[in-house]
Amino acid sequence: MESRGAPLPGPRQAAEQAHCPLMGVGMQWLAPPTDLPRQVHNNWLGHRQRVISIPVKKISLARGMELKQEMAKNLLNATSLSARTKLLHQVGVSLYNTSHGFYEEEVKKTLQQFPGGSIDLQKEDNGIGILTLNNPSKMNAFSGVMMLQLLEKVIELENWTEGKGLIVRGAKNTFSSGSDLNAVKALGTPQDGVALSMFMQNTLTRFMRLPLISVALIQGRALGGGAEFTTACDFRLMTPESEIRFVHKEMGIIPSWGGASRLVEIIGSRQALKVLSGALKLNSEKALNIGMVEEVLQSSDETKSLEEAQEWLMQFVNGPPEVIRALKKSVCSGRELYLEEALQNERDLLGTVWGGPANLEAIARKGKFNK
């Protein structure tokens, strides 16, 4: 042990003396300021001496690595994974906030400057909602106000506890042509584009996580942002003469509402690259062949196709709301979480329905599969 008046060791020597075999980190001690009084100077050295003289149990390098990996795994399980689960199922939580440079209120003020159209929501007694993109004079293009209203409707749907399913459609027999060009022209800087991207990704991610089974009813054309919106739905149905097209390349940009990432999940990376880089026109037959849509409906009539879509969706939402909603939540967990965390979440969701009214009624019928 060195005396208090001894010169400080060099950085390498200090690192060796203070080396932690568990974490593999060498700590370098800083020399005290030269203008300290001698008593304070000696106290500083004495404190340093006491710190580095603490005995450390020697362990092998291999064991040290094992402990490091175990600690990292425990830390990940205790923080990151549980945080992901909390974020996934906590109502009102968005992807981006001020820590990402996203200031939602400022974006809302900007979007408010671009009026036109509306987002209409009708909630039926059977637990199916109908969300209509309503701006027919511009092929249901999203104005700034419509983007704001979409967020408002998503929040309303998050709190609709009786809801089981949702159909998204466009007014006047066409889906949506994407963003209103008036807003696009005015929001011309990269900063504007990124802010709008974060706003719409926030909204559509919350939409995608709704405990409702959703289906996009694609009549007419779904272009650009309209095509991206269809990917946020669980399923897609097309009328015979409808079309989906990601036209972003033709506009000199890429999808920014999350459409590219979701498209890869739906049809795979190879097909997604073809669809995006070729700005391909996907008619109903081609979209069905590549797995973009579930089914092509019989009618192109606006009213009849809506009735067909409702009938199609009903086969999946026929049952108690608490069971349908729990099923949707469990699928969201499987898609977005690590396996261990998804399994734990599935376990927790089971606890909300096991022994519940629907479960007890089914048991009383004395049959699992009788209809």
Side-chain angles (χ1 to χ4, degrees):
M1 184 178 296
E2 61 185 355
S3 64
R4 293 190 178 188
L8 289 170
R12 182 171 181 176
Q13 183 182 355
E16 291 172 351
Q17 290 176 343
H19 182 75
C20 173
L22 174 60
M23 299 305 293
V25 176
M27 297 176 289
Q28 295 183 11
W29 296 100
L30 297 177
T34 56
D35 58 347
L36 286 177
R38 181 171 181 80
Q39 183 61 40
V40 177
H41 183 280
N42 289 342
N43 287 342
W44 188 92
L45 287 174
H47 172 71
R48 171 185 165 277
Q49 175 180 320
R50 288 192 295 273
V51 170
I52 65 172
S53 64
I54 295 174
V56 178
K57 182 179 179 181
K58 293 184 178 180
I59 59 176
S60 68
L61 179 60
R63 178 56 180 157
M65 292 300 296
E66 289 177 5
L67 290 172
K68 286 168 62 178
Q69 292 172 356
E70 184 177 346
M71 289 178 65
K73 182 179 180 180
N74 290 338
L75 181 62
L76 185 62
N77 288 336
T79 56
S80 300
L81 292 177
S82 58
R84 275 192 296 272
T85 305
K86 184 177 180 181
L87 289 174
L88 178 61
H89 295 295
Q90 186 175 342
V91 175
V93 175
S94 298
L95 290 175
Y96 302 109
N97 51 45
T98 54
S99 67
H100 303 96
F102 176 66
Y103 300 90
E104 186 174 275
E105 294 306 315
E106 293 182 10
V107 176
K108 286 181 175 179
K109 289 179 182 177
T110 301
L111 293 176
Q112 195 68 46
Q113 301 172 24
F114 305 100
S118 63
I119 303 293
D120 305 327
L121 176 61
Q122 180 181 348
K123 293 182 285 189
E124 305 286 352
D125 292 338
N126 61 3
I128 294 180
I130 300 174
L131 188 75
T132 303
L133 315 179
N134 192 356
N135 193 10
S137 65
K138 295 186 177 181
M139 290 180 60
N140 300 322
F142 276 87
S143 66
V145 167
M146 288 174 68
M147 294 178 188
L148 294 174
Q149 290 183 359
L150 178 61
L151 176 58
E152 292 171 1
K153 300 306 181 185
V154 169
I155 294 172
E156 183 177 346
L157 288 167
E158 286 174 340
N159 294 283
W160 186 31
T161 57
E162 298 82 13
K164 299 186 289 183
L166 182 70
I167 296 173
V168 181
R169 63 192 285 264
K172 302 299 181 182
N173 217 25
T174 194
F175 192 78
S176 173
S177 59
S179 299
D180 185 348
L181 286 180
N182 290 331
V184 172
K185 291 176 182 177
L187 303 173
T189 69
Q191 291 79 8
D192 291 334
V194 170
L196 180 59
S197 170
M198 289 192 284
F199 181 86
M200 289 303 291
Q201 285 187 16
N202 272 351
T203 300
L204 291 181
T205 299
R206 289 174 67 170
F207 174 89
M208 186 173 62
R209 291 173 175 171
L210 287 171
L212 309 172
I213 298 177
S214 60
V215 58
L217 170 56
I218 303 164
Q219 306 159 296
R221 307 175 80 186
L223 307 177
E228 290 194 67
F229 194 176
T230 70
T231 66
C233 295
D234 298 312
F235 304 108
R236 285 150 294 282
L237 302 173
M238 294 179 74
T239 58
E241 300 173 3
S242 58
E243 173 190 314
I244 301 173
R245 190 182 182 202
F246 293 81
V247 297
H248 305 78
K249 187 186 78 167
E250 306 296 329
M251 301 298 294
I253 57 173
I254 65 171
S256 60
W257 296 0
S261 301
R262 293 188 296 265
L263 186 64
V264 169
E265 185 176 286
I266 295 168
I267 62 175
S269 59
R270 291 176 66 247
Q271 287 288 2
L273 187 58
K274 290 180 183 178
V275 169
L276 296 174
S277 63
L280 301 182
K281 294 181 181 180
L282 300 178
N283 59 28
S284 57
E285 181 181 359
K286 188 165 188 176
L288 183 63
N289 288 339
I290 66 173
M292 182 71 186
V293 300
E294 313 307 314
E295 193 171 306
V296 179
L297 302 177
Q298 296 289 323
S299 177
S300 293
D301 178 77
E302 183 175 11
T303 302
K304 291 181 179 179
S305 60
L306 177 58
E307 292 174 353
E308 283 188 67
Q310 289 174 308
E311 184 179 351
W312 186 91
L313 180 57
M314 185 56 69
Q315 64 184 312
F316 302 109
V317 300
N318 185 25
E322 64 273 16
V323 176
I324 304 301
R325 294 165 69 86
L327 285 170
K328 173 63 184 290
K329 290 177 181 179
S330 67
V331 170
C332 283
S333 297
R335 180 179 58 219
E336 298 193 39
L337 300 177
Y338 290 135
L339 176 61
E340 295 87 349
E341 201 71 359
L343 291 172
Q344 293 171 19
N345 193 66
E346 185 176 305
R347 172 205 64 197
D348 296 340
L349 287 168
L350 175 66
T352 68
V353 292
W354 186 284
N359 179 226
L360 296 177
E361 182 181 343
I363 294 174
R365 291 197 299 265
K366 299 180 180 178
K368 289 185 179 179
F369 309 109
N370 295 334
K371 292 186 179 180

